[in-house]
Amino acid sequence: MARGFKTLDDMGEVAGKRVLVREDLNVPMADGQVTDDTRLRATLATVTELADRGAIVLLLAHFGRPKGRPDPTLSLAMMTRPYSQLLGRPVRFVDWDGAAAAVATLRAGDIAVLENTRFFAGEEANDPQVVETMAALGDLYVNDAFSAAHRAHASTEGLAHRLPAFAGRAMEAELDALDKALGAPEHPVAAVVGGAKVSTKLDVLQHLVARVDHLIIGGGMANTFLAARGVAVGKSLAEHNLAGTAEAILQAAERAGCTVHLPYDVVVATEFRANPPTRTVNVHEVGADEMILDVGPAAVEALGDVLKNCRTLVWNGPLGAFETPPFDAATVSLARTAAALTREGGLVSVAGGGDTVAALNQAGVADEFTFVSTAGGAFLEWMEGRALPGVAALSA
Ligand code: ADP
Ligand code: MG
């Protein structure tokens, strides 16, 4: 356990053993079809390895928000077919009713999806009785769902205390990548924090200023910082009530020796729609009727030079309103610079966040980053420096 948690390498002989594997099968579906199978693909390494080693693989996962009671429209039964197709192996479905008898019929190497964990009222409350019900079905527990690790639920946390517990391959890869980015990173470290609002990322900013050498602030959040510094930001999205907070973060950064980079040129428009007339201006030249919708090209070029001198990059949040062209330009350009530096071997680049992943895909560089986390909430809590209960329980 060199890393503080055990992995599949530490499980010993698993042939014939029942292994409860917590995965994230909460994928978007339409008409019984999976519309984005990213999360399903992330489970394949662990599931195939365990099955090949002769384990009886029992997948535990939640789906949607069934409010603690069975809801046929949210049954994981509908996942067995698409999952089996992706896996290229048969997948059984096991309902909670009669689960013990059904599991008893499974053989070494079999794979089954158990019913939605949130059909139990006590799943989200981490009720010991629900933990017991699940634990009775298995001999060993593997948590492979980093994206659910910020919740202390029966299937994500409770079970780890009740059965011998191990991190799956996807969990292991995620924890290793995150450790390289913020746990024990090579310096200098740059963080890009963008997105709409400071208020949703205050804890992230406060955690980062003490740990990174360069804090690059973009997106709507940058407007709040600019406004706090006395810049007139016109009709831009900005949280003027957070001026004091923004100022305190800038001061904390200064004390910690962290250089904060705010844009000095910006792209503005008077209407927020696709391809409106725009102007690229110095931040001090924003008109009263204009909105800042992207970081300007001169600032982006300077930010690229900052990254060239860094060894590690952690990125959450787009630099502009990237869904609406042309306000994706800064995000795409800096993402491509980061990807090129990563490819050349000089930079470890880790990114996460729902819109950030979408923006990196839009830039065509998600595969070129060292690691891209699709974990959303768990990724943000990790960026806030919080201990994730599902991860902590693996280390106990
Ligand atoms: P993530 O999901 O990666 O954590 P956020 O949800 O915090 O990112 O932020 C993404 C949103 O921020 C996007 O919808 C984007 O349009 C918006 N945004 C970025 N810059 C601006 C801006 N200057 N004005 C308005 N919205 C912006
Ligand atoms: Mg978002």
Side-chain angles (χ1 to χ4, degrees):
M1 305 233 291
R3 305 196 202 80
F5 56 90
K6 292 183 192 155
T7 71
L8 300 197
D9 296 325
D10 306 301
M11 287 181 93
E13 183 62 71
V14 296
K17 293 204 178 137
R18 300 165 304 161
V19 184
L20 290 165
V21 184
R22 182 56 160 96
E23 291 287 4
D24 186 348
L25 305 182
N26 197 25
V27 292
M29 290 192 80
D31 305 324
Q33 304 285 328
V34 175
T35 54
D36 178 352
D37 67 0
T38 311
R39 283 174 167 171
L40 298 189
R41 281 188 279 112
T43 71
L44 298 181
T46 295
V47 171
T48 52
E49 176 176 340
L50 287 172
D52 288 346
R53 285 166 63 177
I56 297 165
V57 182
L58 304 170
L59 297 182
L60 282 171
H62 74 277
F63 188 74
R65 299 185 178 278
K67 307 216 173 82
R69 55 185 135 77
D71 175 345
T73 66
L74 297 175
S75 172
L76 276 172
M78 65 181 149
M79 198 60 69
T80 52
R81 212 219 295 223
Y83 192 57
S84 169
Q85 275 166 359
L86 188 68
L87 203 55
R89 303 176 188 213
V91 174
R92 296 260 304 265
F93 171 70
V94 173
D95 202 347
W96 291 121
D97 276 336
V103 168
T105 67
L106 299 175
R107 308 249 161 92
D110 282 353
I111 299 164
V113 174
L114 301 183
E115 182 54 289
N116 195 336
T117 55
R118 291 192 182 165
F119 283 7
F120 289 108
E123 155 74 341
E124 296 191 43
N126 207 354
D127 179 342
Q129 258 185 309
V130 175
V131 173
E132 211 43 53
T133 302
M134 293 174 182
L137 300 173
D139 304 301
L140 302 165
Y141 170 72
V142 170
N143 190 349
D144 203 29
F146 177 83
S147 56
H150 58 316
R151 309 265 187 251
H153 296 172
S155 69
T156 62
E157 202 270 352
L159 275 175
H161 299 294
R162 177 61 182 71
L163 293 174
F166 307 87
R169 294 300 181 204
M171 174 74 93
E172 179 186 353
E174 179 114 20
L175 293 177
D176 282 351
L178 299 189
D179 192 59
K180 263 203 237 168
L182 271 190
E186 274 192 54
H187 286 265
V189 181
V192 172
V193 183
K197 288 183 172 181
V198 170
S199 52
T200 61
K201 294 188 181 171
L202 269 181
D203 293 340
V204 171
L205 293 166
Q206 269 152 2
H207 182 63
L208 289 177
V209 289
R211 273 163 194 83
V212 305
D213 306 287
H214 297 275
L215 179 61
I216 295 167
I217 301 178
M221 350 206 351
N223 304 338
T224 298
F225 280 88
L226 290 170
R229 285 268 141 126
V231 174
V233 296
K235 287 202 297 181
S236 302
L237 175 66
E239 294 169 289
H240 295 280
N241 58 322
L242 289 181
T245 307
E247 195 53 47
I249 288 169
L250 293 173
Q251 281 166 16
E254 190 162 339
R255 281 195 302 275
C258 167
T259 307
V260 177
H261 301 266
L262 289 169
Y264 47 79
D265 66 336
V266 287
V267 181
V268 299
T270 54
E271 311 161 70
F272 186 23
R273 61 170 170 88
N275 302 308
T278 62
R279 299 197 308 137
T280 298
V281 296
N282 181 285
V283 288
H284 296 289
E285 295 163 355
V286 177
D289 60 341
E290 288 179 317
M291 284 171 276
I292 301 172
L293 292 166
D294 202 10
V295 172
V300 171
E301 197 180 326
L303 294 174
D305 289 337
V306 171
L307 296 191
K308 282 184 191 124
N309 291 313
C310 287
R311 303 286 296 162
T312 305
L313 165 67
V314 49
W315 185 329
N316 170 259
L319 295 180
F322 76 100
E323 304 96 329
T324 311
F327 307 112
D328 59 341
T331 306
V332 167
S333 169
L334 196 64
R336 289 190 177 150
T337 301
L341 293 168
T342 306
R343 220 167 32 230
E344 289 157 15
L347 187 70
V348 169
S349 53
V350 173
D355 293 295
T356 308
V357 175
L360 294 184
N361 280 325
Q362 196 167 309
V365 297
D367 294 342
E368 295 181 46
F369 271 55
T370 309
F371 190 81
V372 175
S373 174
T374 56
F379 181 84
L380 268 186
E381 288 199 20
W382 167 79
M383 278 196 71
E384 292 168 357
R386 294 215 245 164
L388 309 185
V391 175
L394 289 177
S395 319

